[in-house]
Amino acid sequence: MSRIFSGIQPSGELHIGNYLGAVKNWVALQHRHESIFCIVTYHAITIPSTAQELRDRTAGMAVSLLAAGIDPERAALFVQSDVPEHTELAWIFNTLTPLGELERQTQFKEKSQRQESVAAGLLNYPVLQAADILLYRADLVPVGEDQVQHLELSRVIARRWNATYAGGEEFFPEPQPTLTPTRRIMGLDGQAKMSKSLGNTVGLLEPPDAIWAKLRPAVTDPARQRRTDPGTPEICNIFHLHRAFSPPPVVEEVAVRCRTAGWGCIDCKKVLHENMVTELTPIQERAAALKADPRRVVDALASGAERCRTLARATMKVVRERMGLA
Ligand code: SF4
């Protein structure tokens, strides 16, 4: 069985953007692959926060992931900093990675332009990602389109380490991408990717009336000024949310009614709201049960970390031996 690895930022409660863009796919993948899912605290500290904030956001993310359907009996769910071998391997990979390759990474260029002083951790972020994946010698990595370049760097690093220290033997497999089926979800402002920092999200655990308060004013096709104006569903974010939450016959009906001005945008949003609530209610019930019994979350993370530490130590034993570090 192939092994998959994927990580997520400890950003507290999931929002529907990262649920649809990543986690819903993880829940399906855990039934088909040996799965390792990591809450990436070492990556998170490239943006400073207080210790308590990081702890709270890590715990919030763990609750969201378990409530969304990650099953600790099937998948190893753990916190990155509970397995310190990630940073050891990242340091080793840093010694094999030319500066120019890191400076060319699109995400680094975008993020560093927005900051006056750029931390070295931001530059080395994809090296730590390579270490995350290769530490478990994962074959597959579920990625969005914006992560494909980082994964390519992981393959280059694997090849380089194998050539330098393993005589060309494929100790580290070159991880392959498995593209996440849902395209990235735009925020309710229709302007940018759904993101907590932009305040354009819907939380996975938000109650139905709070979700409606956000959906009601959400941006739609600007051509639909009046109820009688026909629209183009493909350019409307609400239509893309229907694709994610509504059954296929409803999605077809939405497209027809939009194009023919058969209904208004509020009617369309009401149907979306109903389907969102149907999907989110069981998740919210599981989250409430986990919050009432936090020991279950602690135990799930502890058993995930134990399993991952065993795998990580086995990898590092070989790495250290081959490099003369042990
Ligand atoms: S009818 Fe629905 S899909 Fe069409 S513009 Fe309005 S909200 Fe968007």
Side-chain angles (χ1 to χ4, degrees), residues 82-93:
D82 285 342
V83 185
E85 284 82 359
H86 284 255
T87 48
E88 183 183 0
L89 190 57
W91 172 253
I92 287 169
F93 288 162

Side-chain angles (χ1 to χ4, degrees), residues 220-221 224 233 236 238-239 254 258 263-265 268:
T220 64
D221 176 359
R224 297 214 67 191
C236 177
I238 297 298
F239 181 64
V254 170
C258 178
W263 63 6
C265 290
C268 181

Side-chain angles (χ1 to χ4, degrees), residues 218-224 230-240 242 254-255 257-259 261 263-269:
V219 169
T220 64
D221 176 359
R224 297 214 67 191
T232 308
E234 289 75 15
I235 64 165
C236 177
N237 197 28
I238 297 298
F239 181 64
H240 293 295
H242 268 293
V254 170
R257 288 187 176 221
C258 178
R259 282 199 189 93
W263 63 6
C265 290
I266 290 292
D267 305 313
C268 181
K269 289 173 175 177

Side-chain angles (χ1 to χ4, degrees), residues 55-326:
R55 275 188 210 105
D56 289 347
R57 285 193 275 111
T58 303
M61 179 53 72
V63 168
S64 281
L65 292 172
L66 293 167
I70 300 299
D71 176 0
E73 300 289 323
R74 287 185 177 276
L77 173 67
F78 76 108
V79 176
Q80 189 182 28
S81 40
D82 285 342
V83 185
E85 284 82 359
H86 284 255
T87 48
E88 183 183 0
L89 190 57
W91 172 253
I92 287 169
F93 288 162
N94 270 321
T95 66
L96 289 171
T97 309
L99 192 57
E101 277 177 25
L102 298 177
E103 286 171 336
R104 275 198 297 277
Q105 297 293 312
T106 309
Q107 284 200 11
F108 171 71
K109 286 198 268 188
E110 282 173 7
K111 286 184 183 167
S112 59
Q113 271 169 6
R114 284 184 244 137
Q115 296 179 18
E116 261 178 42
S117 164
V118 179
L122 194 62
L123 181 72
N124 294 335
Y125 199 103
V127 180
L128 180 56
Q129 280 184 325
D132 297 340
I133 298 161
L134 298 177
L135 188 56
Y136 303 104
R137 304 170 74 204
D139 311 287
L140 288 173
V141 181
V143 286
E145 284 162 4
D146 52 351
Q147 287 294 320
V148 170
Q149 192 187 25
H150 282 181
L151 188 60
E152 174 55 27
L153 183 68
S154 299
R155 283 200 293 275
V156 170
I157 290 173
R159 229 174 286 148
R160 207 169 275 149
W161 191 92
N162 290 339
T164 310
Y165 296 108
E169 174 205 326
E170 203 184 63
F171 175 70
F172 287 120
E174 290 184 27
Q176 300 302 316
T178 148
L179 278 176
T180 304
T182 305
R183 291 175 67 79
R184 67 184 195 165
I185 301 294
M186 299 294 281
L188 295 182
D189 53 7
Q191 300 294 316
K193 185 177 165 182
M194 194 171 273
S195 156
K196 262 191 190 165
S197 58
L198 298 174
N200 60 4
T201 61
V202 175
L204 201 65
L205 308 182
E206 283 193 55
D209 50 350
I211 295 177
W212 179 244
K214 289 183 172 178
L215 276 188
R216 199 172 208 287
V219 169
T220 64
D221 176 359
R224 297 214 67 191
Q225 296 284 335
R226 289 177 300 267
R227 166 76 175 69
T228 48
D229 293 332
T232 308
E234 289 75 15
I235 64 165
C236 177
N237 197 28
I238 297 298
F239 181 64
H240 293 295
L241 290 172
H242 268 293
R243 278 184 167 155
F245 285 106
S246 301
V250 174
V251 175
E252 276 175 38
E253 191 188 341
V254 170
V256 171
R257 288 187 176 221
C258 178
R259 282 199 189 93
T260 58
W263 63 6
C265 290
I266 290 292
D267 305 313
C268 181
K269 289 173 175 177
K270 278 182 186 158
V271 174
L272 172 63
H273 181 251
E274 215 171 276
N275 290 322
M276 284 176 73
V277 171
T278 302
E279 178 153 345
L280 299 184
T281 298
I283 294 174
Q284 297 184 352
E285 286 170 357
R286 285 195 291 270
L290 288 162
K291 284 178 185 170
D293 185 6
R295 196 72 237 163
R296 282 171 56 201
V297 181
V298 172
D299 288 349
L301 293 177
S303 82
E306 197 181 325
R307 211 166 124 199
C308 289
R309 270 195 296 270
T310 305
L311 295 170
R313 282 175 190 157
T315 300
M316 290 314 298
K317 185 170 185 296
V318 175
V319 168
R320 291 163 139 267
E321 278 167 5
R322 297 284 177 100
M323 297 181 73
L325 297 167

Side-chain angles (χ1 to χ4, degrees), residues 16-44:
I16 60 167
N18 42 31
Y19 169 67
L20 296 172
V23 175
K24 194 173 174 180
N25 187 37
W26 293 4
V27 173
L29 288 171
Q30 70 182 345
H31 296 282
R32 302 201 295 272
H33 303 281
E34 183 189 351
S35 302
I36 300 175
F37 300 126
C38 177
I39 302 176
V40 294
T41 42
Y42 285 137
H43 288 280

